[in-house]
PDB file of all heavy atoms in Angstrom:
ATOM      1  N   PHE A 176     -11.199   2.055  -7.487  1.00 85.00           N
ATOM      2  CA  PHE A 176     -11.394   1.215  -6.295  1.00 85.00           C
ATOM      3  C   PHE A 176     -10.311   1.429  -5.258  1.00 85.00           C
ATOM      4  O   PHE A 176     -10.473   1.036  -4.079  1.00 85.00           O
ATOM      5  CB  PHE A 176     -11.473  -0.253  -6.675  1.00 85.00           C
ATOM      6  CG  PHE A 176     -10.252  -0.768  -7.393  1.00 85.00           C
ATOM      7  CD1 PHE A 176      -9.106  -1.101  -6.702  1.00 85.00           C
ATOM      8  CD2 PHE A 176     -10.247  -0.867  -8.779  1.00 85.00           C
ATOM      9  CE1 PHE A 176      -7.979  -1.550  -7.374  1.00 85.00           C
ATOM     10  CE2 PHE A 176      -9.135  -1.360  -9.455  1.00 85.00           C
ATOM     11  CZ  PHE A 176      -7.989  -1.682  -8.738  1.00 85.00           C
ATOM     12  N   LEU A 177      -9.152   2.026  -5.637  1.00 86.00           N
ATOM     13  CA  LEU A 177      -8.080   2.269  -4.676  1.00 86.00           C
ATOM     14  C   LEU A 177      -8.522   3.308  -3.653  1.00 86.00           C
ATOM     15  O   LEU A 177      -9.116   4.325  -4.014  1.00 86.00           O
ATOM     16  CB  LEU A 177      -6.819   2.722  -5.393  1.00 86.00           C
ATOM     17  CG  LEU A 177      -6.018   1.699  -6.179  1.00 86.00           C
ATOM     18  CD1 LEU A 177      -4.825   2.375  -6.836  1.00 86.00           C
ATOM     19  CD2 LEU A 177      -5.568   0.540  -5.351  1.00 86.00           C
ATOM     20  N   ASP A 178      -8.175   3.071  -2.410  1.00 82.00           N
ATOM     21  CA  ASP A 178      -8.383   4.053  -1.381  1.00 82.00           C
ATOM     22  C   ASP A 178      -7.560   5.306  -1.681  1.00 82.00           C
ATOM     23  O   ASP A 178      -6.482   5.224  -2.251  1.00 82.00           O
ATOM     24  CB  ASP A 178      -7.973   3.473  -0.013  1.00 82.00           C
ATOM     25  CG  ASP A 178      -8.152   4.442   1.115  1.00 82.00           C
ATOM     26  OD1 ASP A 178      -9.269   4.600   1.586  1.00 82.00           O
ATOM     27  OD2 ASP A 178      -7.143   5.089   1.518  1.00 82.00           O
ATOM     28  N   GLU A 179      -8.076   6.454  -1.305  1.00 82.00           N
ATOM     29  CA  GLU A 179      -7.404   7.710  -1.633  1.00 82.00           C
ATOM     30  C   GLU A 179      -5.994   7.774  -1.020  1.00 82.00           C
ATOM     31  O   GLU A 179      -5.045   8.200  -1.667  1.00 82.00           O
ATOM     32  CB  GLU A 179      -8.217   8.914  -1.146  1.00 82.00           C
ATOM     33  CG  GLU A 179      -7.628  10.252  -1.528  1.00 82.00           C
ATOM     34  CD  GLU A 179      -8.500  11.434  -1.146  1.00 82.00           C
ATOM     35  OE1 GLU A 179      -9.662  11.170  -0.687  1.00 82.00           O
ATOM     36  OE2 GLU A 179      -8.076  12.573  -1.300  1.00 82.00           O
ATOM     37  N   GLU A 180      -5.856   7.329   0.225  1.00 79.00           N
ATOM     38  CA  GLU A 180      -4.506   7.362   0.842  1.00 79.00           C
ATOM     39  C   GLU A 180      -3.571   6.354   0.197  1.00 79.00           C
ATOM     40  O   GLU A 180      -2.364   6.623   0.076  1.00 79.00           O
ATOM     41  CB  GLU A 180      -4.645   7.089   2.353  1.00 79.00           C
ATOM     42  CG  GLU A 180      -5.383   8.164   3.136  1.00 79.00           C
ATOM     43  CD  GLU A 180      -4.642   9.497   3.149  1.00 79.00           C
ATOM     44  OE1 GLU A 180      -3.507   9.584   2.640  1.00 79.00           O
ATOM     45  OE2 GLU A 180      -5.206  10.488   3.647  1.00 79.00           O
ATOM     46  N   VAL A 181      -4.109   5.212  -0.216  1.00 84.00           N
ATOM     47  CA  VAL A 181      -3.264   4.242  -0.936  1.00 84.00           C
ATOM     48  C   VAL A 181      -2.803   4.838  -2.257  1.00 84.00           C
ATOM     49  O   VAL A 181      -1.637   4.728  -2.651  1.00 84.00           O
ATOM     50  CB  VAL A 181      -4.051   2.940  -1.177  1.00 84.00           C
ATOM     51  CG1 VAL A 181      -3.255   2.001  -2.124  1.00 84.00           C
ATOM     52  CG2 VAL A 181      -4.338   2.213   0.151  1.00 84.00           C
ATOM     53  N   ALA A 182      -3.707   5.513  -2.961  1.00 86.00           N
ATOM     54  CA  ALA A 182      -3.365   6.131  -4.249  1.00 86.00           C
ATOM     55  C   ALA A 182      -2.266   7.210  -4.025  1.00 86.00           C
ATOM     56  O   ALA A 182      -1.342   7.314  -4.835  1.00 86.00           O
ATOM     57  CB  ALA A 182      -4.597   6.740  -4.882  1.00 86.00           C
ATOM     58  N   ASN A 183      -2.376   7.957  -2.950  1.00 84.00           N
ATOM     59  CA  ASN A 183      -1.365   8.983  -2.657  1.00 84.00           C
ATOM     60  C   ASN A 183      -0.024   8.329  -2.364  1.00 84.00           C
ATOM     61  O   ASN A 183       1.023   8.807  -2.821  1.00 84.00           O
ATOM     62  CB  ASN A 183      -1.821   9.819  -1.469  1.00 84.00           C
ATOM     63  CG  ASN A 183      -2.979  10.738  -1.804  1.00 84.00           C
ATOM     64  OD1 ASN A 183      -3.210  11.068  -2.979  1.00 84.00           O
ATOM     65  ND2 ASN A 183      -3.730  11.151  -0.783  1.00 84.00           N
ATOM     66  N   ALA A 184      -0.047   7.233  -1.609  1.00 82.00           N
ATOM     67  CA  ALA A 184       1.195   6.544  -1.278  1.00 82.00           C
ATOM     68  C   ALA A 184       1.835   5.929  -2.529  1.00 82.00           C
ATOM     69  O   ALA A 184       3.066   5.924  -2.655  1.00 82.00           O
ATOM     70  CB  ALA A 184       0.939   5.459  -0.240  1.00 82.00           C
ATOM     71  N   TRP A 185       1.023   5.457  -3.440  1.00 85.00           N
ATOM     72  CA  TRP A 185       1.525   4.864  -4.680  1.00 85.00           C
ATOM     73  C   TRP A 185       1.786   5.911  -5.749  1.00 85.00           C
ATOM     74  O   TRP A 185       2.255   5.603  -6.846  1.00 85.00           O
ATOM     75  CB  TRP A 185       0.534   3.851  -5.220  1.00 85.00           C
ATOM     76  CG  TRP A 185       0.462   2.607  -4.399  1.00 85.00           C
ATOM     77  CD1 TRP A 185       1.090   2.380  -3.198  1.00 85.00           C
ATOM     78  CD2 TRP A 185      -0.263   1.413  -4.694  1.00 85.00           C
ATOM     79  NE1 TRP A 185       0.768   1.119  -2.739  1.00 85.00           N
ATOM     80  CE2 TRP A 185      -0.052   0.518  -3.645  1.00 85.00           C
ATOM     81  CE3 TRP A 185      -1.059   1.015  -5.765  1.00 85.00           C
ATOM     82  CZ2 TRP A 185      -0.593  -0.781  -3.645  1.00 85.00           C
ATOM     83  CZ3 TRP A 185      -1.635  -0.251  -5.752  1.00 85.00           C
ATOM     84  CH2 TRP A 185      -1.392  -1.144  -4.678  1.00 85.00           C
ATOM     85  N   LYS A 186       1.424   7.163  -5.467  1.00 85.00           N
ATOM     86  CA  LYS A 186       1.649   8.303  -6.392  1.00 85.00           C
ATOM     87  C   LYS A 186       0.938   8.089  -7.717  1.00 85.00           C
ATOM     88  O   LYS A 186       1.482   8.238  -8.814  1.00 85.00           O
ATOM     89  CB  LYS A 186       3.154   8.524  -6.618  1.00 85.00           C
ATOM     90  CG  LYS A 186       3.859   8.913  -5.324  1.00 85.00           C
ATOM     91  CD  LYS A 186       5.344   9.135  -5.512  1.00 85.00           C
ATOM     92  CE  LYS A 186       6.008   9.465  -4.187  1.00 85.00           C
ATOM     93  NZ  LYS A 186       7.454   9.620  -4.284  1.00 85.00           N
ATOM     94  N   VAL A 187      -0.355   7.731  -7.583  1.00 89.00           N
ATOM     95  CA  VAL A 187      -1.211   7.628  -8.758  1.00 89.00           C
ATOM     96  C   VAL A 187      -2.435   8.508  -8.557  1.00 89.00           C
ATOM     97  O   VAL A 187      -2.792   8.847  -7.395  1.00 89.00           O
ATOM     98  CB  VAL A 187      -1.674   6.181  -9.021  1.00 89.00           C
ATOM     99  CG1 VAL A 187      -0.487   5.290  -9.340  1.00 89.00           C
ATOM    100  CG2 VAL A 187      -2.465   5.611  -7.857  1.00 89.00           C
ATOM    101  N   VAL A 188      -3.063   8.898  -9.616  1.00 90.00           N
ATOM    102  CA  VAL A 188      -4.291   9.700  -9.558  1.00 90.00           C
ATOM    103  C   VAL A 188      -5.450   8.763  -9.739  1.00 90.00           C
ATOM    104  O   VAL A 188      -5.727   8.274 -10.831  1.00 90.00           O
ATOM    105  CB  VAL A 188      -4.287  10.798 -10.667  1.00 90.00           C
ATOM    106  CG1 VAL A 188      -5.531  11.664 -10.561  1.00 90.00           C
ATOM    107  CG2 VAL A 188      -3.033  11.616 -10.586  1.00 90.00           C
ATOM    108  N   ARG A 189      -6.202   8.523  -8.631  1.00 90.00           N
ATOM    109  CA  ARG A 189      -7.240   7.495  -8.664  1.00 90.00           C
ATOM    110  C   ARG A 189      -8.417   7.910  -9.519  1.00 90.00           C
ATOM    111  O   ARG A 189      -9.235   7.061  -9.894  1.00 90.00           O
ATOM    112  CB  ARG A 189      -7.694   7.149  -7.237  1.00 90.00           C
ATOM    113  CG  ARG A 189      -8.348   8.271  -6.507  1.00 90.00           C
ATOM    114  CD  ARG A 189      -8.580   7.905  -5.052  1.00 90.00           C
ATOM    115  NE  ARG A 189      -9.516   6.830  -4.873  1.00 90.00           N
ATOM    116  CZ  ARG A 189     -10.826   7.018  -4.653  1.00 90.00           C
ATOM    117  NH1 ARG A 189     -11.310   8.242  -4.613  1.00 90.00           N
ATOM    118  NH2 ARG A 189     -11.597   5.987  -4.508  1.00 90.00           N
ATOM    119  N   THR A 190      -8.573   9.203  -9.857  1.00 91.00           N
ATOM    120  CA  THR A 190      -9.685   9.652 -10.664  1.00 91.00           C
ATOM    121  C   THR A 190      -9.382   9.529 -12.154  1.00 91.00           C
ATOM    122  O   THR A 190     -10.254   9.799 -12.983  1.00 91.00           O
ATOM    123  CB  THR A 190     -10.041  11.106 -10.339  1.00 91.00           C
ATOM    124  OG1 THR A 190      -8.885  11.907 -10.478  1.00 91.00           O
ATOM    125  CG2 THR A 190     -10.567  11.218  -8.900  1.00 91.00           C
ATOM    126  N   GLU A 191      -8.159   9.188 -12.502  1.00 93.00           N
ATOM    127  CA  GLU A 191      -7.771   8.962 -13.898  1.00 93.00           C
ATOM    128  C   GLU A 191      -7.505   7.483 -14.149  1.00 93.00           C
ATOM    129  O   GLU A 191      -6.996   6.788 -13.257  1.00 93.00           O
ATOM    130  CB  GLU A 191      -6.477   9.720 -14.239  1.00 93.00           C
ATOM    131  CG  GLU A 191      -6.679  11.220 -14.394  1.00 93.00           C
ATOM    132  CD  GLU A 191      -5.381  11.878 -14.847  1.00 93.00           C
ATOM    133  OE1 GLU A 191      -4.372  11.169 -15.041  1.00 93.00           O
ATOM    134  OE2 GLU A 191      -5.380  13.093 -14.979  1.00 93.00           O
TER     135      GLU A 191
END
Side-chain angles (χ1 to χ4, degrees):
F176 58 80
L177 287 179
D178 179 81
E179 184 175 353
E180 294 294 355
V181 171
N183 290 338
W185 289 8
K186 298 180 181 177
V187 297
V188 182
R189 64 189 294 266
T190 55
E191 286 185 0

